[in-house]
PDB file of all heavy atoms in Angstrom:
ATOM      1  N   ILE A  32     100.187  87.694 115.890  1.00 94.00           N
ATOM      2  CA  ILE A  32     101.413  87.413 115.135  1.00 94.00           C
ATOM      3  C   ILE A  32     101.054  86.950 113.737  1.00 94.00           C
ATOM      4  O   ILE A  32     101.644  87.383 112.737  1.00 94.00           O
ATOM      5  CB  ILE A  32     102.256  86.346 115.873  1.00 94.00           C
ATOM      6  CG1 ILE A  32     102.909  86.968 117.113  1.00 94.00           C
ATOM      7  CG2 ILE A  32     103.322  85.762 114.943  1.00 94.00           C
ATOM      8  CD1 ILE A  32     103.605  85.957 118.005  1.00 94.00           C
ATOM      9  N   ARG A  33     100.087  86.041 113.633  1.00 93.00           N
ATOM     10  CA  ARG A  33      99.686  85.538 112.313  1.00 93.00           C
ATOM     11  C   ARG A  33      99.111  86.664 111.456  1.00 93.00           C
ATOM     12  O   ARG A  33      99.358  86.736 110.255  1.00 93.00           O
ATOM     13  CB  ARG A  33      98.654  84.422 112.473  1.00 93.00           C
ATOM     14  CG  ARG A  33      99.193  83.189 113.181  1.00 93.00           C
ATOM     15  CD  ARG A  33      98.161  82.059 113.197  1.00 93.00           C
ATOM     16  NE  ARG A  33      98.622  80.922 113.992  1.00 93.00           N
ATOM     17  CZ  ARG A  33      98.284  80.713 115.265  1.00 93.00           C
ATOM     18  NH1 ARG A  33      97.425  81.555 115.867  1.00 93.00           N
ATOM     19  NH2 ARG A  33      98.744  79.682 115.928  1.00 93.00           N
ATOM     20  N   ALA A  34      98.326  87.534 112.076  1.00 89.00           N
ATOM     21  CA  ALA A  34      97.703  88.628 111.315  1.00 89.00           C
ATOM     22  C   ALA A  34      98.761  89.569 110.749  1.00 89.00           C
ATOM     23  O   ALA A  34      98.712  89.937 109.568  1.00 89.00           O
ATOM     24  CB  ALA A  34      96.744  89.407 112.222  1.00 89.00           C
ATOM     25  N   VAL A  35      99.746  89.941 111.559  1.00 91.00           N
ATOM     26  CA  VAL A  35     100.803  90.835 111.081  1.00 91.00           C
ATOM     27  C   VAL A  35     101.664  90.127 110.043  1.00 91.00           C
ATOM     28  O   VAL A  35     102.061  90.734 109.036  1.00 91.00           O
ATOM     29  CB  VAL A  35     101.663  91.315 112.272  1.00 91.00           C
ATOM     30  CG1 VAL A  35     102.897  92.067 111.766  1.00 91.00           C
ATOM     31  CG2 VAL A  35     100.834  92.216 113.183  1.00 91.00           C
ATOM     32  N   TYR A  36     101.942  88.862 110.250  1.00 92.00           N
ATOM     33  CA  TYR A  36     102.712  88.078 109.265  1.00 92.00           C
ATOM     34  C   TYR A  36     102.025  88.102 107.900  1.00 92.00           C
ATOM     35  O   TYR A  36     102.680  88.146 106.855  1.00 92.00           O
ATOM     36  CB  TYR A  36     102.852  86.646 109.757  1.00 92.00           C
ATOM     37  CG  TYR A  36     103.622  85.733 108.822  1.00 92.00           C
ATOM     38  CD1 TYR A  36     105.007  85.733 108.802  1.00 92.00           C
ATOM     39  CD2 TYR A  36     102.947  84.869 107.958  1.00 92.00           C
ATOM     40  CE1 TYR A  36     105.714  84.894 107.941  1.00 92.00           C
ATOM     41  CE2 TYR A  36     103.640  84.031 107.106  1.00 92.00           C
ATOM     42  CZ  TYR A  36     105.028  84.048 107.104  1.00 92.00           C
ATOM     43  OH  TYR A  36     105.714  83.218 106.247  1.00 92.00           O
ATOM     44  N   ASN A  37     100.685  88.126 107.923  1.00 88.00           N
ATOM     45  CA  ASN A  37      99.914  88.131 106.672  1.00 88.00           C
ATOM     46  C   ASN A  37      99.622  89.536 106.155  1.00 88.00           C
ATOM     47  O   ASN A  37      98.813  89.707 105.255  1.00 88.00           O
ATOM     48  CB  ASN A  37      98.598  87.362 106.865  1.00 88.00           C
ATOM     49  CG  ASN A  37      98.816  85.860 106.957  1.00 88.00           C
ATOM     50  OD1 ASN A  37      99.572  85.295 106.181  1.00 88.00           O
ATOM     51  ND2 ASN A  37      98.169  85.208 107.914  1.00 88.00           N
ATOM     52  N   GLY A  38     100.272  90.531 106.740  1.00 82.00           N
ATOM     53  CA  GLY A  38     100.190  91.868 106.182  1.00 82.00           C
ATOM     54  C   GLY A  38      99.250  92.839 106.832  1.00 82.00           C
ATOM     55  O   GLY A  38      99.094  93.964 106.379  1.00 82.00           O
ATOM     56  N   GLN A  39      98.591  92.423 107.920  1.00 82.00           N
ATOM     57  CA  GLN A  39      97.670  93.325 108.595  1.00 82.00           C
ATOM     58  C   GLN A  39      98.418  94.219 109.589  1.00 82.00           C
ATOM     59  O   GLN A  39      99.481  93.876 110.072  1.00 82.00           O
ATOM     60  CB  GLN A  39      96.588  92.524 109.347  1.00 82.00           C
ATOM     61  CG  GLN A  39      95.689  91.720 108.433  1.00 82.00           C
ATOM     62  CD  GLN A  39      94.592  91.035 109.199  1.00 82.00           C
ATOM     63  OE1 GLN A  39      94.010  91.595 110.124  1.00 82.00           O
ATOM     64  NE2 GLN A  39      94.292  89.801 108.844  1.00 82.00           N
ATOM     65  N   SER A  40      97.841  95.371 109.871  1.00 79.00           N
ATOM     66  CA  SER A  40      98.351  96.259 110.904  1.00 79.00           C
ATOM     67  C   SER A  40      97.394  96.218 112.083  1.00 79.00           C
ATOM     68  O   SER A  40      96.182  96.211 111.906  1.00 79.00           O
ATOM     69  CB  SER A  40      98.458  97.696 110.379  1.00 79.00           C
ATOM     70  OG  SER A  40      99.384  97.769 109.318  1.00 79.00           O
ATOM     71  N   LEU A  41      97.949  96.182 113.293  1.00 82.00           N
ATOM     72  CA  LEU A  41      97.111  96.028 114.476  1.00 82.00           C
ATOM     73  C   LEU A  41      97.392  97.125 115.487  1.00 82.00           C
ATOM     74  O   LEU A  41      98.547  97.457 115.750  1.00 82.00           O
ATOM     75  CB  LEU A  41      97.364  94.669 115.155  1.00 82.00           C
ATOM     76  CG  LEU A  41      97.056  93.417 114.315  1.00 82.00           C
ATOM     77  CD1 LEU A  41      97.482  92.182 115.079  1.00 82.00           C
ATOM     78  CD2 LEU A  41      95.574  93.353 113.988  1.00 82.00           C
ATOM     79  N   ILE A  42      96.328  97.695 116.055  1.00 82.00           N
ATOM     80  CA  ILE A  42      96.463  98.671 117.125  1.00 82.00           C
ATOM     81  C   ILE A  42      95.427  98.346 118.199  1.00 82.00           C
ATOM     82  O   ILE A  42      94.265  98.070 117.874  1.00 82.00           O
ATOM     83  CB  ILE A  42      96.207 100.107 116.629  1.00 82.00           C
ATOM     84  CG1 ILE A  42      97.067 100.436 115.413  1.00 82.00           C
ATOM     85  CG2 ILE A  42      96.501 101.105 117.737  1.00 82.00           C
ATOM     86  CD1 ILE A  42      96.831 101.834 114.874  1.00 82.00           C
ATOM     87  N   SER A  43      95.853  98.365 119.451  1.00 76.00           N
ATOM     88  CA  SER A  43      94.892  98.167 120.542  1.00 76.00           C
ATOM     89  C   SER A  43      93.778  99.212 120.428  1.00 76.00           C
ATOM     90  O   SER A  43      94.046 100.375 120.103  1.00 76.00           O
ATOM     91  CB  SER A  43      95.589  98.301 121.898  1.00 76.00           C
ATOM     92  OG  SER A  43      96.429  97.191 122.128  1.00 76.00           O
ATOM     93  N   PRO A  44      92.527  98.827 120.674  1.00 71.00           N
ATOM     94  CA  PRO A  44      91.393  99.744 120.488  1.00 71.00           C
ATOM     95  C   PRO A  44      91.564 101.085 121.183  1.00 71.00           C
ATOM     96  O   PRO A  44      91.238 102.128 120.616  1.00 71.00           O
ATOM     97  CB  PRO A  44      90.220  98.950 121.078  1.00 71.00           C
ATOM     98  CG  PRO A  44      90.598  97.525 120.864  1.00 71.00           C
ATOM     99  CD  PRO A  44      92.089  97.476 121.067  1.00 71.00           C
ATOM    100  N   SER A  45      92.066 101.084 122.413  1.00 71.00           N
ATOM    101  CA  SER A  45      92.221 102.352 123.141  1.00 71.00           C
ATOM    102  C   SER A  45      93.226 103.269 122.463  1.00 71.00           C
ATOM    103  O   SER A  45      93.116 104.498 122.510  1.00 71.00           O
ATOM    104  CB  SER A  45      92.641 102.086 124.585  1.00 71.00           C
ATOM    105  OG  SER A  45      93.881 101.401 124.615  1.00 71.00           O
ATOM    106  N   MET A  46      94.215 102.673 121.791  1.00 76.00           N
ATOM    107  CA  MET A  46      95.218 103.466 121.086  1.00 76.00           C
ATOM    108  C   MET A  46      94.714 103.903 119.717  1.00 76.00           C
ATOM    109  O   MET A  46      95.082 104.954 119.203  1.00 76.00           O
ATOM    110  CB  MET A  46      96.527 102.677 120.935  1.00 76.00           C
ATOM    111  CG  MET A  46      97.159 102.286 122.255  1.00 76.00           C
ATOM    112  SD  MET A  46      97.522 103.688 123.332  1.00 76.00           S
ATOM    113  CE  MET A  46      98.830 104.499 122.411  1.00 76.00           C
ATOM    114  N   ALA A  47      93.850 103.090 119.116  1.00 69.00           N
ATOM    115  CA  ALA A  47      93.302 103.437 117.800  1.00 69.00           C
ATOM    116  C   ALA A  47      92.511 104.731 117.875  1.00 69.00           C
ATOM    117  O   ALA A  47      92.567 105.561 116.949  1.00 69.00           O
ATOM    118  CB  ALA A  47      92.422 102.306 117.294  1.00 69.00           C
ATOM    119  N   SER A  48      91.774 104.944 118.965  1.00 64.00           N
ATOM    120  CA  SER A  48      90.999 106.176 119.093  1.00 64.00           C
ATOM    121  C   SER A  48      91.930 107.391 119.154  1.00 64.00           C
ATOM    122  O   SER A  48      91.616 108.455 118.617  1.00 64.00           O
ATOM    123  CB  SER A  48      90.129 106.118 120.336  1.00 64.00           C
ATOM    124  OG  SER A  48      90.922 106.010 121.520  1.00 64.00           O
ATOM    125  N   LYS A  49      93.082 107.228 119.786  1.00 64.00           N
ATOM    126  CA  LYS A  49      94.048 108.326 119.837  1.00 64.00           C
ATOM    127  C   LYS A  49      94.615 108.601 118.457  1.00 64.00           C
ATOM    128  O   LYS A  49      94.872 109.752 118.089  1.00 64.00           O
ATOM    129  CB  LYS A  49      95.163 107.983 120.831  1.00 64.00           C
ATOM    130  CG  LYS A  49      94.685 107.854 122.260  1.00 64.00           C
ATOM    131  CD  LYS A  49      95.850 107.591 123.217  1.00 64.00           C
ATOM    132  CE  LYS A  49      95.352 107.482 124.648  1.00 64.00           C
ATOM    133  NZ  LYS A  49      96.453 107.291 125.621  1.00 64.00           N
ATOM    134  N   LEU A  50      94.826 107.529 117.689  1.00 65.00           N
ATOM    135  CA  LEU A  50      95.368 107.699 116.338  1.00 65.00           C
ATOM    136  C   LEU A  50      94.367 108.437 115.462  1.00 65.00           C
ATOM    137  O   LEU A  50      94.732 109.330 114.688  1.00 65.00           O
ATOM    138  CB  LEU A  50      95.695 106.327 115.732  1.00 65.00           C
ATOM    139  CG  LEU A  50      96.449 106.325 114.406  1.00 65.00           C
ATOM    140  CD1 LEU A  50      97.787 107.031 114.543  1.00 65.00           C
ATOM    141  CD2 LEU A  50      96.653 104.908 113.907  1.00 65.00           C
ATOM    142  N   LEU A  51      93.089 108.106 115.582  1.00 59.00           N
ATOM    143  CA  LEU A  51      92.064 108.790 114.789  1.00 59.00           C
ATOM    144  C   LEU A  51      91.960 110.259 115.195  1.00 59.00           C
ATOM    145  O   LEU A  51      91.720 111.122 114.350  1.00 59.00           O
ATOM    146  CB  LEU A  51      90.711 108.091 114.966  1.00 59.00           C
ATOM    147  CG  LEU A  51      90.609 106.701 114.333  1.00 59.00           C
ATOM    148  CD1 LEU A  51      89.266 106.066 114.664  1.00 59.00           C
ATOM    149  CD2 LEU A  51      90.789 106.779 112.822  1.00 59.00           C
ATOM    150  N   SER A  52      92.145 110.541 116.471  1.00 62.00           N
ATOM    151  CA  SER A  52      92.142 111.937 116.913  1.00 62.00           C
ATOM    152  C   SER A  52      93.295 112.702 116.278  1.00 62.00           C
ATOM    153  O   SER A  52      93.151 113.864 115.884  1.00 62.00           O
ATOM    154  CB  SER A  52      92.264 112.006 118.446  1.00 62.00           C
ATOM    155  OG  SER A  52      91.132 111.413 119.048  1.00 62.00           O
ATOM    156  N   GLU A  53      94.425 112.030 116.172  1.00 60.00           N
ATOM    157  CA  GLU A  53      95.581 112.668 115.535  1.00 60.00           C
ATOM    158  C   GLU A  53      95.310 112.905 114.061  1.00 60.00           C
ATOM    159  O   GLU A  53      95.696 113.927 113.498  1.00 60.00           O
ATOM    160  CB  GLU A  53      96.819 111.784 115.721  1.00 60.00           C
ATOM    161  CG  GLU A  53      98.083 112.328 115.044  1.00 60.00           C
ATOM    162  CD  GLU A  53      98.599 113.601 115.690  1.00 60.00           C
ATOM    163  OE1 GLU A  53      98.087 114.003 116.752  1.00 60.00           O
ATOM    164  OE2 GLU A  53      99.516 114.220 115.117  1.00 60.00           O
ATOM    165  N   PHE A  54      94.639 111.950 113.409  1.00 57.00           N
ATOM    166  CA  PHE A  54      94.265 112.131 112.011  1.00 57.00           C
ATOM    167  C   PHE A  54      93.424 113.400 111.850  1.00 57.00           C
ATOM    168  O   PHE A  54      93.645 114.196 110.939  1.00 57.00           O
ATOM    169  CB  PHE A  54      93.445 110.935 111.502  1.00 57.00           C
ATOM    170  CG  PHE A  54      94.268 109.702 111.242  1.00 57.00           C
ATOM    171  CD1 PHE A  54      93.650 108.469 111.163  1.00 57.00           C
ATOM    172  CD2 PHE A  54      95.634 109.774 111.082  1.00 57.00           C
ATOM    173  CE1 PHE A  54      94.391 107.313 110.922  1.00 57.00           C
ATOM    174  CE2 PHE A  54      96.389 108.631 110.850  1.00 57.00           C
ATOM    175  CZ  PHE A  54      95.755 107.404 110.768  1.00 57.00           C
ATOM    176  N   ALA A  55      92.433 113.555 112.728  1.00 55.00           N
ATOM    177  CA  ALA A  55      91.553 114.724 112.648  1.00 55.00           C
ATOM    178  C   ALA A  55      92.354 116.016 112.810  1.00 55.00           C
ATOM    179  O   ALA A  55      92.119 117.003 112.122  1.00 55.00           O
ATOM    180  CB  ALA A  55      90.474 114.637 113.731  1.00 55.00           C
ATOM    181  N   ALA A  56      93.329 115.978 113.726  1.00 59.00           N
ATOM    182  CA  ALA A  56      94.166 117.174 113.929  1.00 59.00           C
ATOM    183  C   ALA A  56      95.012 117.467 112.694  1.00 59.00           C
ATOM    184  O   ALA A  56      95.226 118.617 112.318  1.00 59.00           O
ATOM    185  CB  ALA A  56      95.074 116.961 115.137  1.00 59.00           C
ATOM    186  N   MET A  57      95.486 116.397 112.044  1.00 53.00           N
ATOM    187  CA  MET A  57      96.280 116.582 110.834  1.00 53.00           C
ATOM    188  C   MET A  57      95.476 117.257 109.722  1.00 53.00           C
ATOM    189  O   MET A  57      95.980 118.101 108.981  1.00 53.00           O
ATOM    190  CB  MET A  57      96.771 115.216 110.320  1.00 53.00           C
ATOM    191  CG  MET A  57      97.890 114.607 111.133  1.00 53.00           C
ATOM    192  SD  MET A  57      98.332 113.001 110.468  1.00 53.00           S
ATOM    193  CE  MET A  57      99.684 112.552 111.549  1.00 53.00           C
ATOM    194  N   ILE A  58      94.208 116.866 109.627  1.00 50.00           N
ATOM    195  CA  ILE A  58      93.359 117.438 108.578  1.00 50.00           C
ATOM    196  C   ILE A  58      93.193 118.940 108.781  1.00 50.00           C
ATOM    197  O   ILE A  58      93.159 119.717 107.841  1.00 50.00           O
ATOM    198  CB  ILE A  58      91.983 116.734 108.574  1.00 50.00           C
ATOM    199  CG1 ILE A  58      92.147 115.268 108.137  1.00 50.00           C
ATOM    200  CG2 ILE A  58      91.009 117.437 107.648  1.00 50.00           C
ATOM    201  CD1 ILE A  58      90.890 114.444 108.283  1.00 50.00           C
ATOM    202  N   LYS A  59      93.077 119.365 110.049  1.00 54.00           N
ATOM    203  CA  LYS A  59      92.826 120.769 110.360  1.00 54.00           C
ATOM    204  C   LYS A  59      94.104 121.623 110.351  1.00 54.00           C
ATOM    205  O   LYS A  59      94.046 122.837 110.220  1.00 54.00           O
ATOM    206  CB  LYS A  59      92.163 120.882 111.732  1.00 54.00           C
ATOM    207  CG  LYS A  59      90.774 120.249 111.771  1.00 54.00           C
ATOM    208  CD  LYS A  59      90.205 120.300 113.175  1.00 54.00           C
ATOM    209  CE  LYS A  59      88.841 119.614 113.235  1.00 54.00           C
ATOM    210  NZ  LYS A  59      88.287 119.608 114.602  1.00 54.00           N
ATOM    211  N   THR A  60      95.250 120.951 110.524  1.00 52.00           N
ATOM    212  CA  THR A  60      96.502 121.682 110.629  1.00 52.00           C
ATOM    213  C   THR A  60      96.998 122.131 109.250  1.00 52.00           C
ATOM    214  O   THR A  60      97.038 121.338 108.316  1.00 52.00           O
ATOM    215  CB  THR A  60      97.591 120.814 111.293  1.00 52.00           C
ATOM    216  OG1 THR A  60      97.149 120.458 112.596  1.00 52.00           O
ATOM    217  CG2 THR A  60      98.914 121.564 111.395  1.00 52.00           C
ATOM    218  N   LYS A  61      97.392 123.369 109.159  1.00 46.00           N
ATOM    219  CA  LYS A  61      97.954 123.884 107.920  1.00 46.00           C
ATOM    220  C   LYS A  61      99.457 124.042 108.089  1.00 46.00           C
ATOM    221  O   LYS A  61      99.924 124.739 108.974  1.00 46.00           O
ATOM    222  CB  LYS A  61      97.327 125.227 107.563  1.00 46.00           C
ATOM    223  CG  LYS A  61      95.841 125.137 107.211  1.00 46.00           C
ATOM    224  CD  LYS A  61      95.302 126.472 106.762  1.00 46.00           C
ATOM    225  CE  LYS A  61      93.830 126.346 106.380  1.00 46.00           C
ATOM    226  NZ  LYS A  61      93.259 127.637 105.956  1.00 46.00           N
ATOM    227  N   ASP A  62     100.178 123.416 107.203  1.00 49.00           N
ATOM    228  CA  ASP A  62     101.639 123.448 107.268  1.00 49.00           C
ATOM    229  C   ASP A  62     102.130 124.471 106.269  1.00 49.00           C
ATOM    230  O   ASP A  62     101.878 124.387 105.073  1.00 49.00           O
ATOM    231  CB  ASP A  62     102.195 122.051 106.934  1.00 49.00           C
ATOM    232  CG  ASP A  62     103.666 121.945 107.281  1.00 49.00           C
ATOM    233  OD1 ASP A  62     104.312 122.990 107.501  1.00 49.00           O
ATOM    234  OD2 ASP A  62     104.167 120.808 107.316  1.00 49.00           O
ATOM    235  N   ASP A  63     102.850 125.492 106.763  1.00 46.00           N
ATOM    236  CA  ASP A  63     103.336 126.564 105.887  1.00 46.00           C
ATOM    237  C   ASP A  63     104.667 126.246 105.222  1.00 46.00           C
ATOM    238  O   ASP A  63     105.157 127.027 104.413  1.00 46.00           O
ATOM    239  CB  ASP A  63     103.505 127.862 106.705  1.00 46.00           C
ATOM    240  CG  ASP A  63     102.175 128.361 107.233  1.00 46.00           C
ATOM    241  OD1 ASP A  63     101.154 128.124 106.537  1.00 46.00           O
ATOM    242  OD2 ASP A  63     102.153 128.956 108.324  1.00 46.00           O
ATOM    243  N   ARG A  64     105.256 125.109 105.565  1.00 46.00           N
ATOM    244  CA  ARG A  64     106.544 124.784 104.959  1.00 46.00           C
ATOM    245  C   ARG A  64     106.350 124.422 103.489  1.00 46.00           C
ATOM    246  O   ARG A  64     105.303 123.886 103.116  1.00 46.00           O
ATOM    247  CB  ARG A  64     107.188 123.596 105.691  1.00 46.00           C
ATOM    248  CG  ARG A  64     107.612 123.914 107.107  1.00 46.00           C
ATOM    249  CD  ARG A  64     108.049 122.658 107.817  1.00 46.00           C
ATOM    250  NE  ARG A  64     106.978 121.674 107.891  1.00 46.00           N
ATOM    251  CZ  ARG A  64     107.131 120.450 108.379  1.00 46.00           C
ATOM    252  NH1 ARG A  64     108.300 120.065 108.821  1.00 46.00           N
ATOM    253  NH2 ARG A  64     106.113 119.612 108.406  1.00 46.00           N
ATOM    254  N   PRO A  65     107.388 124.669 102.639  1.00 46.00           N
ATOM    255  CA  PRO A  65     107.280 124.275 101.230  1.00 46.00           C
ATOM    256  C   PRO A  65     107.037 122.774 101.107  1.00 46.00           C
ATOM    257  O   PRO A  65     107.697 121.988 101.786  1.00 46.00           O
ATOM    258  CB  PRO A  65     108.660 124.657 100.661  1.00 46.00           C
ATOM    259  CG  PRO A  65     109.191 125.684 101.601  1.00 46.00           C
ATOM    260  CD  PRO A  65     108.642 125.343 102.947  1.00 46.00           C
ATOM    261  N   GLN A  66     106.085 122.409 100.299  1.00 52.00           N
ATOM    262  CA  GLN A  66     105.722 121.000 100.142  1.00 52.00           C
ATOM    263  C   GLN A  66     106.371 120.391  98.908  1.00 52.00           C
ATOM    264  O   GLN A  66     106.378 120.995  97.839  1.00 52.00           O
ATOM    265  CB  GLN A  66     104.199 120.845 100.051  1.00 52.00           C
ATOM    266  CG  GLN A  66     103.442 121.307 101.290  1.00 52.00           C
ATOM    267  CD  GLN A  66     103.733 120.409 102.478  1.00 52.00           C
ATOM    268  OE1 GLN A  66     103.732 119.187 102.364  1.00 52.00           O
ATOM    269  NE2 GLN A  66     104.001 121.019 103.609  1.00 52.00           N
ATOM    270  N   LEU A  67     106.933 119.198  99.077  1.00 48.00           N
ATOM    271  CA  LEU A  67     107.464 118.483  97.931  1.00 48.00           C
ATOM    272  C   LEU A  67     106.304 117.873  97.141  1.00 48.00           C
ATOM    273  O   LEU A  67     105.241 117.605  97.706  1.00 48.00           O
ATOM    274  CB  LEU A  67     108.407 117.368  98.389  1.00 48.00           C
ATOM    275  CG  LEU A  67     109.664 117.829  99.128  1.00 48.00           C
ATOM    276  CD1 LEU A  67     110.435 116.615  99.643  1.00 48.00           C
ATOM    277  CD2 LEU A  67     110.548 118.683  98.212  1.00 48.00           C
ATOM    278  N   PRO A  68     106.469 117.666  95.845  1.00 55.00           N
ATOM    279  CA  PRO A  68     105.389 117.046  95.072  1.00 55.00           C
ATOM    280  C   PRO A  68     105.011 115.690  95.655  1.00 55.00           C
ATOM    281  O   PRO A  68     105.870 114.894  96.018  1.00 55.00           O
ATOM    282  CB  PRO A  68     106.026 116.880  93.672  1.00 55.00           C
ATOM    283  CG  PRO A  68     107.123 117.898  93.632  1.00 55.00           C
ATOM    284  CD  PRO A  68     107.638 118.003  95.030  1.00 55.00           C
ATOM    285  N   THR A  69     103.722 115.462  95.813  1.00 60.00           N
ATOM    286  CA  THR A  69     103.250 114.197  96.362  1.00 60.00           C
ATOM    287  C   THR A  69     103.298 113.108  95.298  1.00 60.00           C
ATOM    288  O   THR A  69     102.810 113.327  94.187  1.00 60.00           O
ATOM    289  CB  THR A  69     101.801 114.357  96.854  1.00 60.00           C
ATOM    290  OG1 THR A  69     101.733 115.373  97.846  1.00 60.00           O
ATOM    291  CG2 THR A  69     101.290 113.037  97.453  1.00 60.00           C
ATOM    292  N   PRO A  70     103.887 111.945  95.606  1.00 71.00           N
ATOM    293  CA  PRO A  70     103.911 110.856  94.625  1.00 71.00           C
ATOM    294  C   PRO A  70     102.493 110.527  94.179  1.00 71.00           C
ATOM    295  O   PRO A  70     101.581 110.469  94.996  1.00 71.00           O
ATOM    296  CB  PRO A  70     104.532 109.699  95.402  1.00 71.00           C
ATOM    297  CG  PRO A  70     105.326 110.349  96.488  1.00 71.00           C
ATOM    298  CD  PRO A  70     104.565 111.588  96.859  1.00 71.00           C
ATOM    299  N   ARG A  71     102.306 110.304  92.900  1.00 83.00           N
ATOM    300  CA  ARG A  71     100.975 110.078  92.353  1.00 83.00           C
ATOM    301  C   ARG A  71     100.559 108.621  92.516  1.00 83.00           C
ATOM    302  O   ARG A  71     101.239 107.722  92.049  1.00 83.00           O
ATOM    303  CB  ARG A  71     100.938 110.488  90.878  1.00 83.00           C
ATOM    304  CG  ARG A  71      99.538 110.375  90.270  1.00 83.00           C
ATOM    305  CD  ARG A  71      99.507 110.935  88.867  1.00 83.00           C
ATOM    306  NE  ARG A  71      98.179 110.854  88.295  1.00 83.00           N
ATOM    307  CZ  ARG A  71      97.212 111.727  88.532  1.00 83.00           C
ATOM    308  NH1 ARG A  71      97.434 112.748  89.319  1.00 83.00           N
ATOM    309  NH2 ARG A  71      96.032 111.606  87.972  1.00 83.00           N
ATOM    310  N   LEU A  72      99.441 108.415  93.190  1.00 87.00           N
ATOM    311  CA  LEU A  72      98.868 107.083  93.312  1.00 87.00           C
ATOM    312  C   LEU A  72      97.765 106.914  92.285  1.00 87.00           C
ATOM    313  O   LEU A  72      97.055 107.871  91.965  1.00 87.00           O
ATOM    314  CB  LEU A  72      98.294 106.872  94.709  1.00 87.00           C
ATOM    315  CG  LEU A  72      99.254 107.023  95.901  1.00 87.00           C
ATOM    316  CD1 LEU A  72      98.513 106.766  97.207  1.00 87.00           C
ATOM    317  CD2 LEU A  72     100.440 106.082  95.774  1.00 87.00           C
ATOM    318  N   THR A  73      97.606 105.709  91.782  1.00 90.00           N
ATOM    319  CA  THR A  73      96.542 105.436  90.823  1.00 90.00           C
ATOM    320  C   THR A  73      95.192 105.446  91.556  1.00 90.00           C
ATOM    321  O   THR A  73      95.139 105.392  92.796  1.00 90.00           O
ATOM    322  CB  THR A  73      96.735 104.068  90.158  1.00 90.00           C
ATOM    323  OG1 THR A  73      96.582 103.029  91.160  1.00 90.00           O
ATOM    324  CG2 THR A  73      98.115 103.952  89.531  1.00 90.00           C
ATOM    325  N   ASP A  74      94.116 105.512  90.792  1.00 90.00           N
ATOM    326  CA  ASP A  74      92.780 105.502  91.401  1.00 90.00           C
ATOM    327  C   ASP A  74      92.560 104.226  92.228  1.00 90.00           C
ATOM    328  O   ASP A  74      91.982 104.269  93.319  1.00 90.00           O
ATOM    329  CB  ASP A  74      91.702 105.602  90.315  1.00 90.00           C
ATOM    330  CG  ASP A  74      91.683 106.973  89.656  1.00 90.00           C
ATOM    331  OD1 ASP A  74      92.233 107.925  90.253  1.00 90.00           O
ATOM    332  OD2 ASP A  74      91.137 107.088  88.543  1.00 90.00           O
TER     333      ASP A  74
END
């Protein structure tokens, strides 16, 4: 509770591995839908 209150995000370790697997799938997936311009983040 204190960690989240201070701005951290928390995931149980077993679920974090699933999230990383999803990240990998996202990288490989090609989306053919028209893409809106991505908001520009600074370096």
Side-chain angles (χ1 to χ4, degrees):
I32 287 172
R33 296 185 186 97
V35 171
Y36 180 81
N37 287 316
Q39 296 184 40
S40 297
L41 298 175
I42 308 179
S43 288
S45 61
M46 299 303 292
S48 62
K49 296 183 179 183
L50 188 60
L51 290 176
S52 296
E53 178 67 9
F54 285 162
M57 286 178 178
I58 293 172
K59 296 176 182 177
T60 299
K61 293 184 179 179
D62 192 345
D63 296 329
R64 293 172 300 176
Q66 297 293 315
L67 296 175
T69 301
R71 185 173 181 82
L72 301 181
T73 66
D74 291 342

